[in-house]
Amino acid sequence: MPEGDTVWRTANTLRDALDGKVLTVCDVRVPRYATVDFSGHRVQAVHSVGKHLAVEVAHHVIHSHLKMEGAWHVYRPGTRWRRPAYQARIVLATDDRVAVGFELGVVEILDTLEEAVGYLGPDLLGPCWDAALAVANLAADPSRPIGLALLDQRNLAGLGNVYRNEICFVRGVDPRTPVREVDLAPMVDLSYRSIVANKDRNARTFTGDLRAGRHFWVYGRDGKPCRRCGTAVRFGLLGDDPTEERQIYWCPRCQPPVGVTAAQ
């Protein structure tokens, strides 16, 4: 699933294409909203909140979420689309641009964006980022594994699985460690600094090395030697229940388990 930095860049691309311009086409290919047509209305704003995208037009909000397969593309009129038309869930066009949302996990028309994102914690890339609130949110469930707490968008919005694994490694914390055993303020600070550093990069890096195959400390490197100590990187699954498990990667030497039970 695209993480907050990817969605932030997508919002910038859509903003350049749509913000302040009059829509000439508004084709919402979702049955519930098939009759919605904002053609002739000027786009008032385009922005992201965590992993959510919003296009404000005609005093409504077109809310979308990429989920796993979604993407927004922007084309010049008449340009061939890079994905098949049957995957398009919404088309928004102006005189000089065509924005197409392909395979979006969510497309809905709302009166306010708050309806979609009101539950979110502070947005790491938002104008009102609040580190203290993020720390308090994480601390509210002390027995939860930190690797799950960091992914919970109610605590802080924008982190995904890559960030979760890399941040835990840099902080020397096993992702299965209970929140109560973690120094949360530095963890939140690193989360913020990492996503801000990567927000303008098409290929994010956590090691500081931009060469191919050198971007990550542990993510996707199961069985390979740790870049710090040479110990084989471990792989596992972590989730609140079996249907929500996602991959975790860690170095058992650089990230010693603290308070990790056998069940985890």
Side-chain angles (χ1 to χ4, degrees):
M1 182 182 295
E3 308 199 24
D5 52 356
T6 301
V7 177
W8 186 86
R9 289 192 298 275
T10 300
N12 287 346
T13 299
L14 290 177
R15 187 178 301 112
D16 290 342
L18 301 175
D19 196 13
K21 299 179 182 180
V22 175
L23 294 180
T24 57
V25 173
C26 177
D27 180 7
V28 187
R29 301 180 181 182
V30 177
R32 181 179 178 184
Y33 304 109
T35 61
V36 171
D37 186 358
F38 295 133
S39 298
H41 292 273
R42 191 176 301 276
V43 174
Q44 298 151 332
V46 179
H47 50 91
S48 63
V49 181
K51 300 180 183 182
H52 301 255
L53 284 159
V55 177
E56 298 182 15
V57 59
H59 304 293
H60 287 78
V61 175
I62 301 173
H63 166 241
S64 63
H65 196 297
L66 304 180
K67 296 292 186 180
M68 292 300 295
E69 305 295 334
W72 277 94
H73 293 182
V74 173
Y75 303 96
R76 294 282 185 179
T79 302
R80 184 182 181 88
W81 295 356
R82 297 191 303 275
R83 286 198 186 186
Y86 72 81
Q87 292 182 358
R89 301 200 70 200
I90 184 169
V91 181
L92 302 174
T94 67
D95 286 338
D96 62 352
R97 294 290 190 277
V98 179
V100 187
F102 294 101
E103 293 192 292
L104 301 174
V106 174
V107 178
E108 56 186 353
I109 312 299
L110 306 174
D111 292 329
T112 67
L113 184 58
E114 188 71 13
E115 296 174 54
V117 303
Y119 72 97
L120 293 179
D123 179 6
L124 282 154
L125 291 175
C128 299
W129 164 244
D130 187 336
L133 178 57
V135 169
N137 289 344
L138 290 167
D141 192 350
S143 63
R144 196 177 194 193
I146 186 63
L148 294 181
L150 288 173
L151 286 189
D152 191 331
Q153 302 299 295
R154 296 171 296 182
N155 293 331
L156 65 170
L159 296 184
N161 200 31
V162 176
Y163 275 95
R164 179 259 297 270
N165 282 284
E166 293 293 292
I167 288 165
C168 282
F169 174 82
V170 173
R171 288 297 305 158
V173 174
D174 186 310
R176 301 167 298 174
T177 302
V179 164
R180 63 175 172 269
E181 304 290 348
V182 177
D183 191 352
L184 294 175
M187 183 77 77
V188 167
D189 179 63
L190 179 62
S191 300
Y192 174 75
R193 289 187 290 110
S194 297
I195 201 167
V196 168
N198 279 306
K199 66 183 176 65
D200 292 312
R201 295 179 177 138
N202 288 325
R204 64 174 72 99
T205 180
F206 295 89
T207 62
D209 193 334
L210 294 172
R211 291 175 294 176
R214 302 286 298 179
H215 298 173
F216 302 138
W217 292 106
V218 291
Y219 181 78
R221 302 191 67 247
D222 49 305
K224 295 180 180 179
C226 172
R227 298 192 193 278
R228 282 184 177 167
C229 73
T231 303
V233 172
R234 299 275 183 87
F235 166 81
L237 296 172
L238 186 65
D240 287 314
D241 63 62
T243 67
E244 297 181 353
E245 289 181 331
R246 299 186 68 185
Q247 302 97 329
I248 54 171
Y249 304 87
W250 74 98
C251 170
R253 181 174 181 182
C254 296
Q255 300 166 264
V258 178
V260 176
T261 65
Q264 294 176 317

